[in-house]
């Protein structure tokens, strides 16, 4: 029996409508967890609810086995095309037991196997799949070239080492290999587990799906941050006044910026202060600003420096454009001058971030790490249980390695043998 | 040319590949000839005197499951049986035995001699006969006689351009004491097959009477020996122990001081040697910080004083061998009967082989070291595949194919075809991704049915197998018929939750470490299950949960294996396929989709295109969107 697979069938990024396709024996059952299943081939508007939360309103189409694109039972969800929604839906789908993200070309392959496509049609689709694969490859490369890449490289080394140690005790039992490799294997597994868990909790995918991107507005006291926030939000969300230090806590406003779900953060003005309450506000502002996806620095003058420095891609503008002239790109929350341009810059910066962490890729990586953690934990508990079988530890380790394929590259038996032969003098 | 004789299959070479090939071909019912340069050397063990081991023991069991001869001969010659990894799980246990060389050779010659439909012919094959289309149709012997054949299996071992090195001395030869097949080698060169060069080494052979055994560690055989063949229960001859000693710093100093005189380090050898069987020179150089290496002193036979010191193969000059061997404890006064040597030989790139081991030359099959492998067991397993398929082809039957999901044989064939070799290929259990399923103990359950279908399995074996299977089925019936409540399971000390579901005793055995006495308590009928069957039920159940998890992978693999790629599919003409991939596909000629998938750089889109072309004949049923 084949797995049930899902994928975003429409192009990634923001669009009016995004289409999810689910195919396989559990497709209908999975849909039933989100909404009342409509009759086959009848478009129906449904509210998708996952674990008590409404994800979106979607146009839902159900196809029965034998009468779908793949020939299998399948479902199509047409949801709103925002990144936040597509993220939320793919995350929810991946949490349904038995569902997994489709590999490149998998829908087409199933259609072909079930006799739903002819050769010409497959050839037409092949280009599409090729580009999809290429995009996935590029995204994986991007992940691997960054900071996470160095970690992935270390994981790969540790996985090969742990696998090799275990395999050496199995395949070279009669040779001069260390009999007890347990301490080293355990240390390697523990290191991997700690890293992977940190990485999993660090991926803010889940948080973003709920909250969208966070954009913090920063500046000195009385720079006009709250006024700008209100202008962006189109309502009086924050109290504004002439008094410096009016905003003390972090004020959050959720809004849709050009189709992107964004939480704007208005923060306390950054300055050294003796006021205890304000000091807490400033510390909070710094902390939230640093963890935000994007920072907008609202400066009084171009040379001004604040408690934290802008990062790459952050936006730096001068405020109170109404009070100064001839400063290009200056904004004013009061008059609305430059606000549209600022919105354009914010959404461009966020779209760039969104593209560099493609929804499915990111999610795929997170799922891979979760599966790997499960396998490593199983291996760990086996090693610690007296009298348990080393071949099962090896099987768990292989599972952990396979799960991490997308992150660390394929690890083949030859890699293990290389490690074994270079570490131990094999050959009696 | 005179007196032409006709055979269905001619097997060239009487080593382990050739013997198994000839036997398999004849079992299938093909009229078979085995040609060897010397009849009396058929079945000779030219390297270490042992059969089986990890991965290797698995291969022997698979050969045995297909009614082959290696396991039977090993059992009748076995003088020290050990089940390796006895304390680990059954999936990684490999049966092994030291074998008396003479008894082993005699057993092989007997088994071949009594095999009906098989002629053993002494002679040297000097040429292959081909028809106009290039198909091999027979062989020509040195005396000018010709043997007609529908298919020919070549098991030339290390005889192709074999060069033996002892220090700076070198001469051509297949193995010590035999001549190399130069004419046949030249003939094969003309085919334009891709070749490579490998090397392997042997240790000096020692006179056991000159070894000081007192004070050396002894390694006895197992108390309850496990046989290589499913048909045997106990050793046939007297059992002996092996000795263990170690090299020391002095040994290493001697080797180090003479490295320049070693054929390998002196630059006389171009072939690549196996990393898992390094020479003493290699060990000393690569693991310089190790102060000693273990040596097993293995007796070569019950009435033979020769000792095979496993662990010190070498290509140093004879006098240096003498010096370093005598630096080893217990060997201070030892007499070397025959110096160790290294041998270089040609192999044909196995990635050019078909999955039935037919070469690029129609009608010509390759098996054994000629394909870049090492080891008796690897050679014999290929011999069986090549012999059986040559016979099947000659008789117009379907090929007999193996999968990574069903056997180590399948793993080996696939590894060889999809990756080629960079060092002599040896089997390890870690090569098998479905290791928990591919066990030595269930080789018959996995393969004997296939052997029966192919006509490889004789009547006696079939009866033995069916009897075992019916005992297993009965036991499984008894154990699955009885289902227990959580309360009952708790009563025998199992930690199950109170509100769990009822489970059959078979399921309980699969999930818990339950004592047999408790099983008897739950199912009194289980008393009818004999010990051997009980153990097999337990082995099958042990990995059940893991096997479930792997089943999807195995099924996906087998689904792809079932999609055969037509031999005439022109990859270069497939639209949408990159030139690079098309070239790789053309070179590797995958026979099914699973093989294509394993080609390096394969993409999902390319795979889909190939699949689509394989399905071309089938009309699309309906097209939705």
């Amino acid at each position: 029996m084949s797995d049930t697979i899902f994928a975003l069938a429409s192009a990634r990024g923001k669009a009016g409508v995004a289409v999810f396709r689910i195919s396989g024996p559990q497709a209908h059952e999975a849909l039933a967890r989100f909404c009342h299943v409509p009759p086959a081939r009848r478009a129906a508007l449904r509210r998708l609810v996952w674990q008590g939360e409404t994800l979106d309103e979607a146009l839902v189409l159900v196809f029965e086995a034998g009468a779908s694109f793949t020939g299998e039972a399948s479902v199509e969800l047409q949801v709103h095309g925002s990144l936040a929604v597509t993220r939320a839906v793919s995350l929810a789908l991946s949490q349904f037991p038995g569902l997994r993200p489709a590999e490149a070309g998998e829908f087409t392959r199933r259609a072909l196997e079930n006799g739903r496509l002819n050769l010409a049609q497959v050839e037409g689709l092949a280009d599409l799949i090729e580009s999809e694969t290429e995009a996935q490859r590029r995204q994986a490369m991007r992940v691997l070239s960054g900071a996470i890449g160095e970690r992935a490289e270390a994981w790969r080394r540790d996985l090969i080492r742990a696998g090799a140690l275990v395999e050496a005790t199995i395949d070279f039992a009669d040779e001069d290999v260390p009999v007890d490799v347990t301490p080293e294997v355990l240390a390697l597994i523990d290191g991997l587990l700690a890293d992977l868990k940190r990485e999993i909790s660090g991926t803010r995918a889940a948080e973003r799906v709920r909250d969208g991107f966070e954009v913090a507005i920063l500046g000195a006291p009385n720079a006009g941050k709250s006024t700008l926030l209100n202008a962006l939000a189109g309502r009086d969300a924050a109290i504004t006044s002439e008094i410096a230090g009016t905003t003390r806590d972090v004020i959050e406003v959720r809004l849709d910026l050009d189709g992107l779900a964004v939480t704007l953060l208005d923060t306390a003005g950054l300055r050294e202060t003796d006021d205890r309450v304000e000091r807490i506000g400033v510390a909070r502002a710094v902390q939230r600003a640093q963890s935000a996806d994007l920072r907008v620095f609202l400066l009084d003058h171009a040379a001004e420096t604040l408690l934290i420095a802008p990062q790459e891609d952050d936006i730096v503008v001068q405020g109170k454009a109404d009070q100064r002239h001839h400063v290009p790109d200056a904004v004013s929350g009061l008059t609305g001058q430059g606000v549209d341009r600022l919105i354009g810059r914010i959404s461009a910066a966020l779209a760039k971030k969104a593209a560099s962490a493609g929804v499915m890729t990111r999610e795929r990586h997170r799922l891979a790490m979760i599966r790997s953690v499960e396998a490593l934990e199983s291996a760990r508990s086996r090693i610690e249980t007296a009298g348990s079988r080393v071949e099962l530890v090896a099987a768990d380790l292989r599972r952990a390695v396979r799960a991490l394929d997308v992150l660390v590259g394929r690890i083949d038996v030859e890699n293990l043998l290389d490690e074994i032969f270079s570490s131990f003098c094999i050959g009696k | 040319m005179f007196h032409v004789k006709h055979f269905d299959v001619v097997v060239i070479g009487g080593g382990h590949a050739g013997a198994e090939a000839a036997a398999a071909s004849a079992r299938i019912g093909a009229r078979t000839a085995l040609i060897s340069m010397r009849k009396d050397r058929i079945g000779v063990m030219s390297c270490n005197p042992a059969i089986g081991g990890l991965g290797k023991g698995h291969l022997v069991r698979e050969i045995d499951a297909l009614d082959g001869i290696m396991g039977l001969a090993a059992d009748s010659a076995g003088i020290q049986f050990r089940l390796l990894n006895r304390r680990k799980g059954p999936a990684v246990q490999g049966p092994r035995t030291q074998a008396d060389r003479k008894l082993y050779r005699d057993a092989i010659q007997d088994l071949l001699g009594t095999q009906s439909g098989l002629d053993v012919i002494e002679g040297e094959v000097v040429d292959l006969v081909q028809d106009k289309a290039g198909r091999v149709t027979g062989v020509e012997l040195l005396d000018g006689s010709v043997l007609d054949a529908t298919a020919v299996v070549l098991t030339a071992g290390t005889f192709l351009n074999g060069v033996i090195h002892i220090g700076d001395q070198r001469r051509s030869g297949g193995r010590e004491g035999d001549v190399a097949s130069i004419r046949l080698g030249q003939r094969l060169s003309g085919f334009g097959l891709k070749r490579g060069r490998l090397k392997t080494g042997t240790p000096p052979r020692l006179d056991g009477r000159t070894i000081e055994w007192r004070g050396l560690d002894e390694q006895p055989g197992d108390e309850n020996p496990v046989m290589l063949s499913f048909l045997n229960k106990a050793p046939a001859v007297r059992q002996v122990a092996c000795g263990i000693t170690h090299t020391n710093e002095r040994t290493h100093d001697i080797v180090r001081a003479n490295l320049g005189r070693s054929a390998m380090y002196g630059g006389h050898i171009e072939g690549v040697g196996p990393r898992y069987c390094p020479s003493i020179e290699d060990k000393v150089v690569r693991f310089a910080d190790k102060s000693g290496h273990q040596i097993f002193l293995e007796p070569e036979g019950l009435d033979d004083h020769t000792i095979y010191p496993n662990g010190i193969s070498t290509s140093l000059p004879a006098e240096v061998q003498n010096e370093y061997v005598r630096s080893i404890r217990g060997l201070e006064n030892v007499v070397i009967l025959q110096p160790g040597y290294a041998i270089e030989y040609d192999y044909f790139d196995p990635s050019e082989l078909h999955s039935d081991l037919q070469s690029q030359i129609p009608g010509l099959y390759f098996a054994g070291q000629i394909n870049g492998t090492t080891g008796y067991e690897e050679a014999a397993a290929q011999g069986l595949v090549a012999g059986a398929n040559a016979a099947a082809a000659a008789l117009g039957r379907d090929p007999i194919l193996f999968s990574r999901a069903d056997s180590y044989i399948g793993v080996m064939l696939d590894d060889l075809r999809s990756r080629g070799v960079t060092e002599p290929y040896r089997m390890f259990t870690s090569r098998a991704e479905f290791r928990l399923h591919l066990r030595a103990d269930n080789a018959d359950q996995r393969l004997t049915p296939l052997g029966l279908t192919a006509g490889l399995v004789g009547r006696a074996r079939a009866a033995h197998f069916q009897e075992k299977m019916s005992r297993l089925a009965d036991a499984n019936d008894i154990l699955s018929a009885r289902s227990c409540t959580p309360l009952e399971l708790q009563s025998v000390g199992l930690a199950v939750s109170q509100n769990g579901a009822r489970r059959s005793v078979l399921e309980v055995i699969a999930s818990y470490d339950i004592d047999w006495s408790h099983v008897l308590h739950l199912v009194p009928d289980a008393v009818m299950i004999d010990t051997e069957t009980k153990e097999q039920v337990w082995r099958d159940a042990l990995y059940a949960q893991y096997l479930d998890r792997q089943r999807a992978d195995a099924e996906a693999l087998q689904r792809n294996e079932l999609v055969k790629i037509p031999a005439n599919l022109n990859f270069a003409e497939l639209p949408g396929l990159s030139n690079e991939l098309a070239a790789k596909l053309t070179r590797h000629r995958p026979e099914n989709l699973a093989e294509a998938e394993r080609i390096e750089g394969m993409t999902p889109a390319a795979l889909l295109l190939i699949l689509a072309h394989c399905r071309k004949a089938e009309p699309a049923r309906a097209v939705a969107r």
Side-chain angles (χ1 to χ4, degrees):
Chain A
M1 191 167 97
S2 56
D3 302 340
T4 298
I5 54 175
F6 71 90
L8 185 63
S10 54
R12 289 185 183 85
K14 121 196 116 167
V17 175
V19 179
F20 276 93
R21 201 182 257 163
I22 311 166
S23 176
Q26 281 180 284
H28 296 177
E29 189 191 325
L31 179 65
R33 293 282 208 86
F34 290 91
C35 65
H36 180 67
V37 179
R41 296 187 160 268
R42 292 267 293 276
L45 193 62
R46 289 281 187 272
R47 187 183 296 273
L48 302 181
V49 180
W50 177 251
Q51 292 174 346
E53 259 192 81
T54 299
L55 301 175
D56 196 16
E57 273 215 323
L59 193 63
V60 177
L61 276 161
V62 170
F63 301 91
E64 283 174 322
S68 70
F69 168 70
T70 56
E72 300 174 326
S74 42
V75 168
E76 262 186 37
L77 306 174
Q78 302 186 3
V79 297
H80 291 102
S82 88
L83 285 164
V85 168
T86 50
R87 275 219 184 91
V89 172
S90 68
L91 182 70
L93 287 173
S94 69
Q95 284 171 348
F96 187 84
L99 256 64
R100 64 168 172 82
E103 305 294 332
E106 207 169 356
F107 284 99
T108 312
R109 159 129 199 203
R110 290 185 178 196
L112 183 65
E113 288 193 328
N114 292 321
R116 311 293 297 183
L117 287 177
N118 63 29
L119 183 58
Q121 290 166 314
V122 172
E123 282 173 355
L125 282 168
D127 288 341
L128 221 68
I129 294 155
E130 195 73 58
S131 64
E132 186 185 344
T133 319
E134 182 53 23
Q136 278 180 12
R137 193 187 63 77
R138 271 206 309 272
Q139 274 166 340
M141 289 297 293
R142 210 174 283 140
V143 169
L144 288 173
S145 62
I148 191 176
E150 280 165 36
R151 245 163 293 158
E153 199 41 54
W155 295 343
R156 181 182 167 86
R157 272 198 307 275
D158 289 354
L159 285 165
I160 288 177
R161 178 73 186 168
L165 286 168
V166 172
E167 295 293 350
T169 62
I170 293 175
D171 262 333
F172 304 98
D174 237 17
E175 314 256 3
D176 262 352
V177 296
V179 182
D180 191 11
V181 298
T182 311
E184 192 181 344
V185 173
L186 270 184
L188 289 165
I189 290 179
D190 284 345
L192 283 162
L193 276 173
D195 268 15
L196 287 170
K197 283 178 176 169
R198 199 177 316 128
E199 201 60 49
I200 291 167
S201 64
T203 52
R204 309 194 324 139
E207 199 182 315
R208 294 210 181 153
V209 166
R210 262 201 327 274
D211 303 338
F213 288 97
E214 280 189 354
V215 178
I217 304 173
L218 297 170
N222 218 358
K225 299 178 295 296
S226 301
T227 313
L228 178 61
L229 175 90
N230 288 345
L232 290 169
R235 64 187 166 94
D236 279 344
I239 303 167
T240 57
S241 82
E242 303 299 313
I243 305 160
T246 304
T247 306
R248 302 227 158 161
D249 209 344
V250 177
I251 292 170
E252 302 188 8
V253 176
R254 298 191 56 160
L255 61 142
D256 187 301
L257 269 191
D258 241 0
L260 292 172
V262 171
T263 301
L264 270 181
L265 308 177
D266 181 21
T267 59
L270 302 175
R271 67 168 167 185
E272 307 284 353
T273 171
D274 291 333
D275 182 328
R276 267 174 54 200
V277 178
E278 191 181 351
R279 211 157 57 211
I280 297 172
V282 170
R284 229 174 247 191
V286 170
Q287 188 212 338
R288 284 298 290 275
Q290 273 166 343
S291 67
D293 296 293
L294 184 73
R295 283 144 296 276
V296 175
F297 287 79
L298 196 61
L299 304 184
D300 282 335
H301 53 91
E304 186 182 8
T305 54
L306 295 167
L307 290 177
I308 58 172
Q311 302 174 17
E312 199 190 334
D313 292 340
D314 280 355
I315 295 169
V316 181
V317 292
Q318 289 191 42
K320 297 188 177 166
D322 47 301
Q323 292 173 24
R324 55 191 125 217
H325 301 285
H326 317 299
V327 180
D329 283 352
V331 296
S332 165
L334 213 59
T335 62
Q337 185 187 333
V339 168
D340 279 348
R341 186 149 9 127
L342 180 60
I343 290 177
R345 287 179 69 187
I346 294 174
S347 52
L350 293 180
K352 191 174 158 196
K353 285 183 191 290
S356 73
V359 185
M360 294 302 274
T361 308
R362 243 189 130 89
E363 207 32 45
R364 205 185 281 269
H365 291 170
R366 209 177 68 89
L367 292 172
M369 289 189 279
I370 291 173
R371 279 203 308 276
S372 191
V373 162
E374 279 167 11
L376 286 171
E377 277 176 341
S378 167
R380 192 176 203 300
S381 78
R382 269 182 214 289
I383 293 173
E384 287 187 323
T385 314
S388 68
R389 304 191 176 282
V390 65
E391 67 272 23
L392 295 180
V393 174
D396 284 335
L397 281 178
R398 281 173 183 230
R399 214 151 44 86
V401 166
R402 278 195 55 171
L404 280 189
D405 262 6
V406 285
L407 280 170
V408 303
R410 218 175 105 73
I411 294 177
D412 190 85
V413 61
E414 288 298 328
N415 301 122
L416 301 184
L417 292 174
D418 285 346
E419 175 70 22
I420 293 174
F421 296 139
S422 64
S423 308
F424 308 118
C425 186
I426 301 291
K428 59 173 194 181
Chain B
M1 278 195 206
F2 50 99
H3 56 272
V4 174
K5 270 197 191 169
H6 182 82
F7 292 94
D8 294 319
V9 174
V10 163
V11 177
I12 307 170
H16 304 278
E20 208 67 66
S25 168
R27 282 205 303 284
I28 283 196
R31 183 102 190 78
T32 306
L34 172 63
I35 306 169
S36 171
M37 289 199 224
R38 281 177 56 187
K39 252 180 169 173
D40 63 335
R41 292 188 65 87
I42 290 174
V44 160
M45 294 195 286
S46 51
C47 193
N48 66 321
I51 301 278
L54 296 167
K56 290 165 171 284
H58 290 76
L59 283 172
V60 179
R61 281 286 176 83
E62 291 182 357
I63 293 167
D64 192 64
L66 297 165
D67 215 3
I69 58 176
M70 178 169 255
L72 295 170
D75 283 347
S76 63
I79 53 177
Q80 187 232 32
F81 288 88
R82 286 172 59 226
L83 183 63
L84 302 188
N85 278 338
R86 189 178 271 271
R87 267 178 295 184
K88 301 192 178 93
V92 292
Q93 293 175 350
R96 179 188 193 273
T97 185
Q98 292 299 137
D100 179 304
R101 282 186 196 284
K102 223 173 299 158
L103 292 178
Y104 186 85
R105 188 191 61 204
D106 290 350
I108 290 287
Q109 291 178 10
D110 277 356
L111 285 160
L112 294 177
T114 55
Q115 173 67 50
S116 65
L118 174 63
D119 286 6
V120 178
I121 296 166
E122 192 166 86
E124 183 184 347
V125 173
V126 293
D127 208 353
L128 298 170
V129 183
Q130 285 177 284
D131 65 13
K132 280 191 200 119
R135 192 181 175 80
V136 171
T137 57
V139 300
E140 186 190 329
L141 303 185
L142 187 62
D143 65 7
S145 61
V146 167
L147 305 183
D148 257 1
T150 313
V152 172
V153 180
L154 179 64
T155 68
T158 58
F159 286 75
L160 285 175
N161 295 331
V163 175
I164 286 177
H165 298 263
I166 304 177
D168 52 7
Q169 293 175 33
R170 51 194 290 176
R171 59 192 161 72
S172 79
R175 62 188 165 211
E176 197 58 28
D178 290 318
V179 290
S181 327
I182 292 169
R183 260 188 78 184
L184 185 60
Q186 284 164 348
R187 169 70 179 168
L188 289 164
S189 299
F191 287 136
L193 302 171
K194 222 169 116 195
R195 280 182 184 226
R197 198 138 175 88
L198 293 172
K199 70 143 191 161
T200 185
T202 64
R205 309 298 164 88
L206 312 177
D207 185 336
R209 292 167 300 187
T210 60
I211 293 175
E212 185 54 67
W213 293 97
R214 268 174 309 182
L216 294 185
D217 286 339
E218 198 179 67
Q219 186 189 46
D222 287 346
E223 236 168 86
N224 302 306
V226 172
M227 302 292 104
L228 272 309
S229 170
F230 287 106
L231 298 184
N232 294 323
K233 296 267 177 277
V237 295
R238 178 164 64 86
Q239 299 295 291
V240 300
C242 293
I244 297 176
T245 183
H246 295 87
T247 62
N248 52 50
E249 287 297 358
R250 237 191 88 216
T251 321
H252 299 177
D253 287 342
I254 297 166
V255 170
R256 234 175 266 132
N258 289 284
L259 272 182
R261 302 177 68 193
S262 154
M264 213 178 71
Y265 281 85
H268 303 291
I269 292 183
E270 49 177 299
V272 183
R275 290 172 300 174
Y276 43 80
C277 194
S279 60
I280 186 64
E281 293 97 302
D282 258 343
K283 289 183 180 183
V284 168
V285 171
R286 290 187 44 223
F287 297 92
D289 54 335
K290 262 195 109 170
S291 57
H293 296 279
Q294 191 171 244
I295 304 169
F296 287 85
L297 299 171
E298 303 176 346
E300 300 217 338
L302 290 175
D303 58 356
D304 184 343
H305 301 296
T306 313
I307 295 294
Y308 185 95
N310 205 339
I312 49 168
S313 75
T314 184
S315 60
L316 284 162
E319 66 271 21
V320 181
Q321 293 184 30
N322 207 43
E323 199 188 341
Y324 87 69
V325 165
R326 288 185 170 207
S327 73
I328 296 166
R329 200 159 71 89
L331 309 183
E332 292 86 353
N333 298 305
V334 84
V335 171
I336 291 181
L337 297 173
Q338 183 200 305
Y341 60 91
I343 176 165
E344 275 190 292
Y345 56 95
D346 281 0
Y347 72 96
F348 291 113
D349 180 357
S351 68
E352 296 188 339
L353 292 167
H354 295 281
S355 55
D356 59 357
L357 291 183
Q358 191 167 183
S359 69
Q360 297 283 309
I361 319 302
L364 182 63
Y365 295 71
F366 289 160
Q369 272 175 300
I370 189 174
N371 291 334
T373 63
T374 175
Y376 309 144
E377 304 82 356
E378 288 84 350
Q382 290 169 67
L384 186 145
V385 174
N389 277 294
L395 301 177
R397 297 196 202 153
D398 288 339
I400 301 148
L401 302 177
F402 298 84
S403 157
R404 298 188 77 89
D406 69 25
S407 58
Y408 276 83
I409 295 178
V411 170
M412 174 170 65
L413 295 177
D414 186 65
D415 281 348
L416 291 175
R417 281 168 39 72
S418 59
R419 303 160 185 262
V421 297
T422 49
E423 68 182 328
Y425 178 95
R426 170 179 152 186
M427 185 49 75
F428 302 110
T429 70
S430 49
R431 293 195 192 276
E433 58 271 51
F434 303 115
R435 173 164 65 190
L436 300 180
H437 173 55
L438 306 186
R439 308 193 307 271
D441 65 76
N442 69 2
D444 52 349
Q445 288 159 254
R446 291 184 279 118
L447 294 178
T448 303
L450 178 92
L452 285 165
T453 312
L456 265 170
V457 173
R459 223 174 293 153
R461 169 88 56 173
H464 184 270
F465 173 70
Q466 266 132 17
E467 202 257 337
K468 170 179 171 177
M469 291 310 281
S470 82
R471 274 187 291 132
L472 259 180
D474 289 349
N476 282 324
D477 283 350
I478 291 172
L479 296 172
S480 50
R482 167 82 163 95
S483 80
C484 304
T485 63
L487 211 60
E488 285 174 305
L489 295 177
Q490 283 174 351
S491 78
V492 294
L494 294 181
V496 295
S497 89
Q498 190 88 40
N499 38 21
R502 289 176 75 95
R503 291 185 228 212
S504 78
V505 173
L506 195 62
E507 287 165 341
V508 171
I509 293 175
S511 335
Y512 296 93
D513 213 354
I514 183 175
D515 206 75
W516 190 251
S517 64
H518 292 144
V519 171
L520 287 178
H521 180 80
L522 295 169
V523 201
D525 277 358
V527 75
M528 292 186 292
I529 303 170
D530 62 286
T531 310
E532 198 187 307
T533 307
K534 176 186 87 189
E535 280 171 3
Q536 193 57 20
V537 167
W538 174 77
R539 290 189 200 106
D540 284 338
L542 185 64
Y543 301 115
Q545 286 164 339
Y546 264 81
L547 297 182
D548 282 346
R549 200 174 276 159
Q550 287 193 339
R551 194 155 294 139
D553 287 346
E555 280 170 3
L557 173 71
Q558 280 169 325
R559 221 175 21 244
N560 281 352
E561 280 172 347
L562 284 179
V563 180
K564 301 290 177 208
I565 299 175
N568 58 5
L569 184 61
N570 187 348
F571 294 109
E573 282 178 5
L574 292 197
L577 214 54
S578 75
N579 288 340
E580 189 194 340
L581 263 185
K584 275 188 186 166
L585 285 160
T586 308
R587 190 164 65 248
H588 285 282
R589 282 241 66 95
E591 286 172 21
N592 57 53
L593 209 59
E595 290 182 8
E597 194 174 9
R598 279 192 292 279
I599 289 176
E600 196 212 329
M602 182 55 62
T603 68
L607 213 56
L608 211 57
L609 285 172
I610 298 167
L611 173 66
H613 280 270
C614 299
R615 289 274 157 87
K616 204 154 141 188
E618 302 168 28
R621 280 196 284 277
V623 177
R625 289 211 309 163

